[in-house]
Amino acid sequence: VQVPTFMVTRALTKLSTTALRRRLFYSMSIEVTNDEQHTLEMIESVVSFISEFDSCVVAMSAGVDSAVVAKAASLALGSNAMAVTAQSPSLASGELEQARQIAELIGIEHRVFNTSEFSNPNYVRNQGDRCYFCKSELYRQMRVLAESLDGQILLNGTNADDLGDYRPGLQAASEWHVRSPLAECGIHKATVRAMALHWHLPTWDKPASPCLSSRVAYGEEVTAERLQMIDLAEQYLRTRGIEPVRVRYHRGDLARIEVPQQHIEFCINPQIREELEQYLRGIGFQFVTIDLGGFKSGSLNRLLQIDMT
């Protein structure tokens, strides 16, 4: 038996923890597994966390983390919650439309604005701190919007697993006083996906999809033309049934393709290899390689000397 949810108003979230659980889920005599119980407890914790604010603006991409925060914000604050999506050349094709669909499904007000990180030479030169300048631009615009709406709190989708990774954007979040409900409630990625599945969010099992700029090797300039090449190449590979996939841009217009190990043999099939090379050369790459190590999220961080201790 599935336990249904319904809209929780801010007044209700001021009730005790036990009362909140009863409001979030109808009181029924059912048995739930330990995993299901944990998911319900994490839902309760993040909704309660957001309920402490009068209103909020959520930075929402089309990924699962920010969608879960947006859903929780909608439950906690109703019409006092808003989601925003930043549009720029670093946003992969289809992501904006999917973000709009998710916001509509959740029932949260959604706004889109254009960010101007490409006008910042510190972003374009693409050193190890590139993400800091991107997030600073995003949060700056969110803060302007929030102040125009009577000072709403800013929220993002950072989860507990992200805290152990190299993410310069976390510094920008700290500087702009952005709160991270998932991370602050100790919620890890696997639980985020379970929460999204519980809420029937279509992106519950969506692979991570960081911005296109993250595919450009550090030290190589980030340009709209290079990002378009990357976007087209990844779209092409997805049409061949390969997911997840990364096309990394390296010096000399070299494409280093990362696919899961089980797809490498398919990619090096003589006919497929020829078609793939021909297509990527046609969109601007001069050299095309398949990484025999397979898909690795954040693999370009190996080019940096990072101390995470």
Side-chain angles (χ1 to χ4, degrees):
V1 180
Q2 182 180 357
V3 184
T5 64
F6 63 96
M7 180 66 72
V8 179
T9 66
R10 189 168 189 276
L12 291 176
T13 59
K14 295 302 181 182
L15 299 174
S16 67
T17 300
T18 302
L20 175 60
R21 182 182 293 113
R22 290 171 180 167
R23 295 293 187 176
L24 283 171
F25 310 98
Y26 289 124
S27 178
M28 300 176 66
S29 298
I30 61 172
E31 292 184 3
V32 296
T33 67
N34 289 337
D35 286 345
E36 290 170 334
Q37 182 63 35
H38 178 68
T39 300
L40 299 184
E41 290 172 353
M42 292 302 98
I43 287 175
E44 176 190 322
S45 69
V46 75
V47 172
S48 296
F49 179 96
I50 298 174
S51 297
E52 294 302 313
F53 307 114
D54 292 322
S55 55
C56 71
V57 178
V58 182
M60 193 186 80
S61 65
V64 62
D65 299 308
S66 58
V68 163
V69 174
K71 174 66 176 182
S74 179
L75 287 172
L77 302 176
S79 61
N80 289 327
M82 175 189 297
V84 297
T85 302
Q87 185 174 21
S88 82
S90 67
L91 189 65
S93 296
E95 293 293 290
L96 178 58
E97 181 57 33
Q98 190 168 38
R100 284 179 169 139
Q101 293 171 354
I102 293 170
E104 183 177 1
L105 177 65
I106 291 172
I108 190 171
E109 181 182 354
H110 183 230
R111 297 191 187 184
V112 178
F113 53 69
N114 295 310
T115 51
S116 56
E117 63 270 20
F118 280 79
S119 65
N120 186 339
N122 291 316
Y123 177 85
V124 173
R125 68 184 182 136
N126 192 28
Q127 299 303 306
D129 57 355
R130 179 203 65 244
C131 188
Y132 167 82
F133 300 104
C134 175
K135 293 300 185 184
S136 293
E137 167 65 7
L138 168 64
Y139 297 143
R140 180 189 68 80
Q141 290 212 32
M142 286 179 64
R143 175 58 63 199
V144 171
L145 175 62
E147 290 178 353
S148 72
L149 299 172
D150 198 24
Q152 304 189 9
I153 193 74
L154 307 186
L155 304 179
N156 65 19
T158 300
N159 67 62
D161 291 331
D162 297 331
L163 302 182
D165 196 5
Y166 175 67
R167 293 177 181 265
L170 296 179
Q171 180 183 345
S174 176
E175 293 175 356
W176 288 96
H177 307 291
V178 180
R179 303 296 298 269
S180 304
L182 300 176
E184 294 184 54
C185 290
I187 300 176
H188 295 268
K189 189 73 172 191
T191 303
V192 174
R193 293 194 183 280
M195 294 165 67
L197 180 60
H198 177 84
W199 281 328
H200 304 292
L201 298 179
T203 54
W204 72 270
D205 61 346
K206 180 181 178 180
S209 183
C211 76
L212 294 173
S213 296
S214 68
R215 276 75 146 169
V216 181
Y218 293 114
E220 300 300 312
E221 284 194 355
V222 175
T223 67
E225 292 75 20
R226 289 173 176 176
L227 299 190
Q228 184 178 39
M229 290 162 57
I230 293 168
D231 194 20
L232 289 172
E234 291 188 353
Q235 288 184 63
Y236 177 81
L237 285 159
R238 290 190 185 99
T239 65
R240 309 307 293 262
I242 300 175
E243 183 75 21
V245 61
R246 295 287 187 272
V247 176
R248 312 288 190 187
Y249 177 95
H250 291 266
R251 180 169 298 180
D253 290 332
L254 183 149
R256 178 171 59 87
I257 301 171
E258 294 182 11
V259 300
Q261 288 283 347
Q262 65 268 25
H263 292 302
I264 291 178
E265 185 174 354
F266 171 80
C267 290
I268 62 177
N269 173 281
Q271 180 179 348
I272 299 300
R273 185 186 66 208
E274 182 178 350
E275 293 175 359
L276 181 58
E277 181 180 15
Q278 182 178 2
Y279 180 80
L280 266 66
R281 284 182 179 273
I283 61 176
F285 287 103
Q286 297 300 313
F287 306 97
V288 181
T289 65
I290 304 292
D291 192 322
L292 298 182
F295 172 82
K296 292 185 179 66
S297 182
S299 67
L300 287 175
N301 285 344
R302 287 180 293 178
L303 301 175
L304 301 174
Q305 296 297 320
I306 303 171
D307 182 5
M308 293 300 296
T309 61

